[in-house]
Each structure stands twice: as C-alpha cells, then as structure tokens.
Amino acid sequence: MVEFDEAFVLSESLLAEPLPDRWRHVQAVASEASRLGGLDGVDAEDLRVAAILHDIGYAPAIAHERFHPLDGARFLAREGCSDRVVALVARHSCAVVEAQLRQVVGVEYYVDEVSPTRDALWYCDATTGPQGQRLTADERWAEIRHRYGAGNVVTAFLDQAEPELRAAVDRTLSRMSTAGIPI
Ligand SMILES: [Fe+2]
C-alpha cells in the first residue's frame, strides 16, 4: 500500500528531472483528481494515488518495455502499490487498445474495473495537456492527433479508443454535474 505523499515523492524522483513536462502533466492530473474525490462512487485516495503515478512508466529508469502503462504497472507492483492502483495504471485511458496496436502483451491481464474511480482517472488524463494545461477532452484529442499526425500508431489508437474514452469522460461530467463540481 502506497499513500499519496509517498506516491508523489516516487513519481517526482523518476520523472521530474528527465521528463519535466511529463512531471507537470501528472501533477496537474493529480490536482484535477483531488477535485473529484467527492464524486459518487469515487475512492478519493486511490484516485489521487493512481493519478500521480499513472505515467510513471515513461521514466527512462523503468521503461523496459517502452510501453508506459505496462512498465508503470510492473514497477508499481514491485514498489508495493495495491493491486487496484496497479491495475488502474495498467489500464488507464484505454491502454489495452494501444497495446494491441503495438503488439505489446501483458496489459490485458490486469482488470479494467470500469468504475467511477477509473472513469475519473481517465477524465483527468483526457482533460490535462502535455505540460499540465487544462483542456477539454476534445481539445486534448485534437492536440494529440495534430502532434502525432495521420498514420501514426497513437492517432490510430485514438481513432479506435475515442468512443470508450468519451464514454468515461461523459459519465464523469455527469457525476460532476450531480455533485455540483464545475468543469
Ligand atoms: Fe497522462
């Protein structure tokens, strides 16, 4: 079990120096996650921990497979994170679809819990830009398509995953509306 403060230090230690933009992004994702802890069905602590750790697999020191959801999940399991947080990281933002496109094996063995906590993590990631700026999901996806271009595997992933990503975003927006949390 890893608590948020410990997770923050772990993420900072691996990302801040080699990947400062990525570190800004994950801090902003965690900050947005902190606003959503009161949503119906959301586990506030697991959401914050998963948010600050979700992209740790980009860290060069642990990027063994060069597929960040899987590298992150395997590292976090070794670090003592709960099975739930490990699986949230492994499956975040429809990673299983990109894994299939890249022919990376392993992500599919983790459970995608399809819960309000999982949806909220996907929402926070989809509404946070590469340097931590706040965006709508549509702005974020347009930015990704522009950055990678047609024909790139990331763009192909987005084309395939967008309906499921959008469903998670829309469910979270609906829960935010019910809870009176502004966008
Ligand atoms: Fe992310």
Side-chain angles (χ1 to χ4, degrees), residues 64-135:
H64 306 303
E65 293 269 355
R66 303 204 174 278
F67 188 64
H68 80 276
L70 191 57
D71 284 321
R74 287 176 172 164
F75 171 75
L76 295 171
R78 292 195 298 274
E79 289 294 310
C81 284
S82 68
D83 290 346
R84 186 186 195 195
V85 166
V86 168
L88 283 167
V89 169
R91 299 295 297 252
H92 82 266
S93 302
C94 234
V96 73
V97 171
E98 190 173 346
Q100 284 161 357
L101 287 170
R102 293 183 183 276
Q103 298 184 305
V104 172
V105 175
V107 173
E108 68 276 20
Y109 299 127
Y110 297 88
V111 174
D112 178 13
E113 63 180 49
V114 197
S115 68
T117 304
R118 167 268 211 193
D119 286 349
L121 177 64
W122 291 29
Y123 171 86
C124 294
D125 200 20
T127 56
T128 305
Q131 289 90 30
Q133 61 275 51
R134 299 248 54 84
L135 302 169

Side-chain angles (χ1 to χ4, degrees), residues 8 11 15-16 19-33 48 50-58 68 92-93 121-135 140-141 143-144 147:
F8 185 98
S11 190
L15 291 175
L19 301 171
D21 280 350
R22 185 62 55 183
W23 174 231
R24 275 188 275 280
H25 165 82
V26 299
Q27 285 179 94
V29 170
S31 163
E32 184 67 357
R48 287 175 78 215
I52 199 71
L53 294 172
H54 80 280
D55 277 348
I56 200 166
Y58 279 114
H68 80 276
H92 82 266
S93 302
L121 177 64
W122 291 29
Y123 171 86
C124 294
D125 200 20
T127 56
T128 305
Q131 289 90 30
Q133 61 275 51
R134 299 248 54 84
L135 302 169
R140 170 77 159 133
W141 296 331
E143 179 276 317
I144 290 171
R147 183 156 38 112

